Amino acid sequence: MNSKVGTRDIQLKALEILKEFQKICKKHDLLYYAIGGTCIGAIRHGGFIPWDDDIDVAMPYDDYCRFMEVCKSELKKPYSIIGPHNCVHYTMIYSKLQDESTCFVEQTVKKYKDRYCGVYIDIFPIFGLPKSDNKRKQLVNKNERIKRLNIRRRFPISDETNIKGRLYWLLNCPQKLFLKFDYYTKEQENLFAVYKFNYSEKVIFPWRMKPGKDKRGCYKDIFYYEDFKSALQVKFEDGLINVPIGYKRYLTMDFGDYMKLPPKEKQVVMHPSAIIDLNKSFKEYLK
């Protein structure tokens, strides 16, 4: 992180963006909730986790699509959306609401100019799933294949770190000649959109790792619809934020004992930055 910009400075800027997001959601009656570290921060700290440097919110896929649509008319400068449908080197199946008057360039994407952006909040879609365990497994496996194809469609062979990866890239090379850069992102969305959120027993975060248990025994990515069917408001900094109605079970499944602080060595920012400037647009760094 740039020495002149502290974590708290970034948090306060992200908080401004969150309030813009909340204003739009309230106006259009859109369901959202804090997830991940933002949800833990709200419950455990009444605001940001002290060392956290971003805000994560999620929306049922239909609400997510409506939000993206109304943003075309509702968002005013300096706010804008960056995501997989308007940025080539962006493989994730979620979007960011950014403040274009600032600059926040992560170290991992520094060499890709189209990934330069302002301070942002992440907006994640949540999808429904089929009832059958077997169908869920098939769906998840197909999603994993599409994610790999998406990466190879968007990134050069030089980004592959081993011979196997480069071989697969070469086998998939012809697709670059006729497929739009967001083809596989649309495939991912269409894959899950068939299963309506409000009629599902389980829901999924398809942008993350393949579902299953991690080393701590926590269940990753697939959760209960009942925990996300609605939201409740809790304190967050100087205002309120929505959290999933079943946040206790969700957070326990995802993080284990979420009320316990991690060891000191893990209390670090999650997005190592190459450039941070809260007074100058990222566009200035593209010149």
Side-chain angles (χ1 to χ4, degrees), residues 93-106:
I93 188 173
Y94 61 85
S95 301
K96 300 176 186 290
L97 175 56
Q98 66 172 344
D99 180 342
E100 291 187 359
S101 69
T102 63
C103 179
F104 190 98
V105 179
E106 294 179 45

Side-chain angles (χ1 to χ4, degrees), residues 129-136 195 199-202:
L129 286 169
K131 292 184 178 181
S132 161
D133 285 339
N134 188 49
K135 286 185 177 180
R136 282 202 294 263
Y195 304 98
Y199 297 96
S200 298
E201 295 177 357
K202 298 285 185 70

Side-chain angles (χ1 to χ4, degrees), residues 53-179:
D53 60 348
D54 76 342
I55 290 176
D56 295 330
V57 295
M59 310 177 79
Y61 181 60
D62 285 350
D63 291 79
Y64 174 85
C65 290
R66 286 172 57 204
F67 177 80
M68 293 302 158
E69 184 62 29
V70 300
C71 275
K72 295 175 183 178
S73 57
E74 292 285 358
L75 280 186
K76 309 300 180 186
K77 295 298 183 182
Y79 299 112
S80 67
I81 296 290
I82 177 174
H85 296 298
N86 63 5
C87 181
V88 173
H89 297 103
Y90 191 114
T91 61
M92 300 83 75
I93 188 173
Y94 61 85
S95 301
K96 300 176 186 290
L97 175 56
Q98 66 172 344
D99 180 342
E100 291 187 359
S101 69
T102 63
C103 179
F104 190 98
V105 179
E106 294 179 45
Q107 192 67 48
T108 54
V109 295
K110 183 181 178 182
K111 66 180 180 179
Y112 296 111
K113 301 295 185 181
D114 61 339
R115 284 297 305 277
Y116 281 33
C117 65
V119 176
Y120 59 83
I121 68 170
D122 285 321
I123 306 173
F124 301 93
I126 302 179
F127 294 86
L129 286 169
K131 292 184 178 181
S132 161
D133 285 339
N134 188 49
K135 286 185 177 180
R136 282 202 294 263
K137 184 176 180 180
Q138 292 175 358
L139 190 69
V140 165
N141 287 336
K142 187 171 183 179
N143 182 54
E144 291 298 310
R145 291 194 296 272
I146 294 174
K147 283 198 289 189
R148 290 193 291 271
L149 289 169
N150 193 23
I151 292 170
R152 291 180 181 124
R153 167 61 186 86
R154 293 174 183 260
F155 287 91
I157 192 171
S158 58
D159 274 22
E160 297 290 346
T161 57
N162 55 57
I163 294 175
K164 185 178 179 180
R166 294 189 176 195
L167 177 60
Y168 280 126
W169 192 98
L170 289 170
L171 289 173
N172 298 140
C173 186
Q175 67 182 290
K176 290 180 176 287
L177 300 176
F178 60 90
L179 295 181

Side-chain angles (χ1 to χ4, degrees), residues 7 11 37-38 48-55 268-271:
T7 301
Q11 290 176 347
T38 305
F48 286 96
I49 294 175
W51 55 90
D52 200 5
D53 60 348
D54 76 342
I55 290 176
V268 295
V269 297
M270 297 300 293
H271 305 88

